[in-house]
Amino acid sequence: MWAELLPIGRSSESGGYRRHAWTAADADCRAWFRTQAEARGLGYELDRNGNQWAWQGDATAGDAVVIGSHLDSVPDGGAFDGPLGVVSSFAALDELRDRGAQFTRPLAITNFGDEEGARFGLACVGSRLAAGQLAPEKAYELRDGDGVSLPQAMEAAGYDPSTIGPDPERLARIGAFVELHVEQGRALDLSGDPVGIASAIWPHGRWRYDFHGEANHAGTTRLADRRDPMLTYAETVIAARTQAQLAGALATFGKISVEPNGVNAIPSLVRGWLDSRAADQDTLDQVIAGIESAAHEAAARSGIDLKVVRESFTPVVEFEHALRDELARLLGSGHEGTPRIPVLGTGAGHDAGILSASVPTAMLFVRNPTGVSHSPAEYAAEDDCVAGVRALADVTEGLACA
């Protein structure tokens, strides 16, 4: 499975992946998922929001156990973020069938669409729509860097966007969702454990900063006469790093657009996107307020007009304690002769976090020895991936089998 998936959407230049929502690479990933489902005799569904489902048992029976993740990527992302969870889910089902496990609850494997938000700027679009956390009219307004709207992209990929929206009936049929994911950090590497359990997802969000200045000639305009929004943007980037460092949080300006974007032109507009995360809400609020205050002060000094727009926000997600503790029990954590499974917090968002408001959710992490993610350098050793599959199989067997 891994060998079949690896070439899809891979850049020959960077070695990273460009599997963005509703593109040809995304279509190839979706075709791969359907092939895997049908090869195992699973019932295949594409839901109203473009999420894929592969069912063993009656999809309408209720109290289903769902496993899976996503297949899309950030620009030039790594091979493991998302796909490891989907591949491991099919492999875990294979393992359970080899064990002769008898299912007493329906099981589904899922691929949630547009988790990374790389094309339209909003993460977890598929799960947000399903959970009613993204209104269809807001989804229709999403556009990519070329001005293509989400509905246009869906139509071009052969999907009807008029169906998108909340899917409470489907979510009501889910008794538990367990998402396996490569760890996006080095906690497991430092502790020496191949697999961990998630405790919570930090609160996090994305803010767009629009710095409006005045376009002019770079070779004839005196420095004193310039209203250069790039300078104010640069000051804001430094302020973000400072505020995050003081608070023990994270803040990143990772995307920028410039108009008119000429080498010999002073910009008229600089747009920067801020991603910020912290262990608790109060800390995050403090960091965001500090960055915005510094940006407005810098803008006022330079005659720059500034507009700040919060594009997305996810509050702290505490995974259901009962399900989290059940995972630990099923994995033998702390029992005589078995190691205690580490429980980790994470600053990365996931579909499991979005769905946690609607269904019981939990997560398993697989060790990432480099700690690098959202990069071609992202990595997990084969033995650790196998340990993740076995852990997911053990959990699934405990939840869904006799």
Side-chain angles (χ1 to χ4, degrees), residues 154-355:
M154 294 175 74
E155 285 181 330
Y159 189 80
D160 181 4
S162 68
T163 66
I164 66 173
D167 203 351
E169 292 182 2
R170 178 178 295 275
L171 295 186
R173 300 200 302 264
I174 300 175
F177 174 50
V178 181
E179 181 175 5
L180 179 144
H181 206 280
V182 67
E183 188 196 359
Q184 295 170 289
R186 287 191 59 214
L188 290 174
D189 182 57
L190 295 173
S191 69
D193 297 289
V195 178
I197 298 172
S199 60
I201 297 176
W202 288 8
H204 57 279
R206 297 179 181 183
W207 289 260
R208 191 186 78 233
Y209 280 63
D210 295 346
F211 301 91
H212 292 269
E214 182 178 45
N216 216 325
H217 197 299
T220 61
T221 309
R222 295 191 318 152
L223 295 180
D225 294 335
R226 299 184 180 198
R227 293 178 56 228
D228 186 350
M230 186 65 77
L231 296 178
T232 309
Y233 166 74
E235 288 188 64
T236 304
V237 173
I238 299 300
R241 172 60 181 257
T242 300
Q243 292 293 325
Q245 198 163 22
L246 290 172
L250 300 169
T252 307
F253 276 97
K255 179 180 176 181
I256 183 174
S257 70
V258 182
E259 296 177 12
N261 204 29
V263 174
N264 60 348
I266 299 166
S268 60
L269 171 64
V270 174
R271 238 184 214 115
W273 281 264
L274 169 68
D275 178 299
S276 190
R277 308 164 191 240
D280 59 79
Q281 188 63 55
D282 288 344
T283 302
L284 181 59
D285 290 343
Q286 173 189 335
V287 170
I288 294 303
I291 297 170
E292 189 167 339
S293 176
H296 278 291
E297 289 176 10
R301 287 196 304 269
S302 302
I304 301 300
D305 296 322
L306 171 61
K307 179 182 179 182
V308 180
V309 178
R310 189 178 81 176
E311 293 193 335
S312 68
F313 178 74
T314 303
V316 63
V317 173
E318 284 278 352
F319 290 112
E320 186 180 80
H321 290 194
L323 182 57
R324 184 185 68 193
D325 294 345
E326 179 67 2
L327 261 62
R329 186 190 70 79
L330 291 169
L331 295 176
S333 182
H335 295 179
E336 185 176 350
T338 64
R340 181 167 295 279
I341 304 296
V343 179
L344 317 170
T346 178
H350 301 279
D351 291 310
I354 299 298
L355 295 180

Side-chain angles (χ1 to χ4, degrees), residues 11 23 67 74-75 86 92 105 155 278 284 299 355 376 381:
S11 167
T23 62
I67 55 179
V74 299
V86 179
R105 297 167 68 180
E155 285 181 330
L284 181 59
L355 295 180

Side-chain angles (χ1 to χ4, degrees), residues 30 69 103 116-117 124 171 313 320 329 332 339 383:
R30 290 170 174 272
S69 190
F103 287 85
E116 295 291 6
C124 300
L171 295 186
F313 178 74
E320 186 180 80
R329 186 190 70 79
D383 287 348

Side-chain angles (χ1 to χ4, degrees), residues 122-134 204 312-314 354:
L122 178 64
C124 300
V125 170
S127 56
R128 284 184 193 274
L129 283 167
Q133 297 181 26
L134 174 61
H204 57 279
S312 68
F313 178 74
T314 303
I354 299 298

